[in-house]
């Protein structure tokens, strides 16, 4: 079973930066999409950013455009990063990494079918105060 491990969360002041990492292991399929999603207490999960692996396409939620950047590791194509800057209190949430399961992507947009069939990590908490 695919394992996703997120790291890099923490507490930061408004305007600060954090970088999240997600490493996928035990892959049995060459996935095409990975992404970051978040869920704040009492709110539904929302997409943050997604990337077409081994390609140039990325997708961002309007709320994070210009502040967050998703990228994949140049060597390990099953590792993605989320560089977050100009953080706001409304960015506070549990951030989850997701990876496409067999045959459900691309496209890799945040509302595409791959999301509902994705494998998920356990999340890393980001708190902005």
């Amino acid at each position: 079973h695919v394992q996703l491990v997120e790291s890099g969360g923490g507490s930061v002041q408004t305007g600060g930066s954090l970088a999240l990492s997600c490493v996928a292991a035990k892959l049995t399929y060459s996935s095409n999409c990975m992404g970051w999603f978040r869920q704040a207490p009492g709110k539904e999960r929302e997409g943050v950013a997604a990337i077409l692996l081994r390609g140039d396409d990325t997708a961002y939620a309007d709320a994070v455009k210009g502040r967050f950047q998703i990228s994949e590791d140049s060597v390990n194509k099953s590792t993605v990063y989320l560089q977050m800057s100009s953080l706001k209190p409304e960015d506070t949430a549990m951030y989850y990494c997701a990876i496409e399961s067999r045959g459900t992507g691309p496209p890799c947009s945040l509302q595409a079918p791959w999301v509902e069939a994705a494998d998920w990590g356990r999340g890393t908490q980001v708190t902005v105060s």
Side-chain angles (χ1 to χ4, degrees), residues 41-125:
K43 294 187 177 181
E44 294 186 354
R45 184 189 70 196
E46 63 176 351
V48 176
I51 188 167
L52 172 66
L53 299 175
R54 302 172 297 280
D56 295 329
D57 288 345
T58 56
Y60 295 93
D62 288 343
V64 306
K65 282 181 181 177
R67 301 189 297 122
F68 290 13
Q69 182 174 18
I70 188 171
S71 61
E72 62 179 323
D73 191 275
S74 60
V75 176
N76 184 348
K77 297 302 182 181
S78 298
T79 298
V80 294
Y81 307 103
L82 185 68
Q83 179 66 47
M84 306 184 293
S85 59
S86 301
L87 284 162
K88 306 175 182 179
E90 49 264 45
D91 294 319
T92 295
M94 185 71 79
Y95 283 70
Y96 298 92
C97 178
I99 190 168
E100 176 224 344
S101 60
R102 184 179 295 275
T104 57
C108 302
S109 61
L110 294 170
Q111 294 81 30
W114 78 273
V115 176
E116 293 305 316
D119 291 304
W120 296 87
R122 294 187 176 183
T124 184
Q125 178 69 36

